[in-house]
Amino acid sequence: MTEERDATDHPVIRHVLIRGRVQGVGYRAWTELAALERKLAGWVRNRRDGAVEAVFAGDSVTVEAMVSACRRGPPAARVDDLQEQVGHASLLDLCRPGERFSVLPTT
């Protein structure tokens, strides 16, 4: 029997910074869709330095699969570097009220 897990079952939080050709190629929209399909919580945003920043929260297997997917990104993207670190629960406070996963303004 397979149980569907929610992002709060085994909370693991990862904070990632993705560099390369990741803006203007649908990376944020792709990330939002991929995270929601995986039932992850968190957010994604562009940064003024050209990178994309994201936070993913959920069970460890699903979060790691999402981070791995981010190393490829959507078809038009070119990921040159992905930095990953343990995230803190306070990062999830940036999500918009009522949203599991938010696309945030550029910072």
Side-chain angles (χ1 to χ4, degrees), residues 3-10 38-39 59-60 62 100:
E3 286 187 35
E4 193 169 291
R5 292 185 178 235
D6 185 74
T8 59
D9 284 350
H10 295 89
R38 291 172 168 86
K39 298 185 179 6
D59 70 84
S60 61
T62 307
R100 174 186 286 273

Side-chain angles (χ1 to χ4, degrees), residues 25-105:
V25 295
Y27 202 101
R28 287 177 303 161
W30 172 85
T31 301
E32 178 186 28
L33 179 62
L36 289 172
E37 285 175 346
R38 291 172 168 86
K39 298 185 179 6
L40 294 174
W43 51 263
V44 63
R45 66 182 171 193
N46 282 343
R47 292 172 39 124
R48 287 189 180 93
D49 66 2
V52 169
E53 180 180 19
V55 171
F56 305 112
D59 70 84
S60 61
V61 171
T62 307
V63 168
E64 292 308 318
M66 183 69 204
V67 172
S68 180
C70 285
R71 293 181 191 283
R72 293 180 307 278
R78 185 194 72 243
V79 176
D80 295 332
D81 184 50
L82 185 144
Q83 297 172 348
E84 175 185 2
Q85 60 186 353
V86 173
H88 301 282
S90 62
L91 288 168
L92 297 174
D93 293 342
L94 295 175
C95 287
R96 290 188 179 99
E99 291 184 353
R100 174 186 286 273
F101 197 90
S102 297
V103 177
L104 300 178

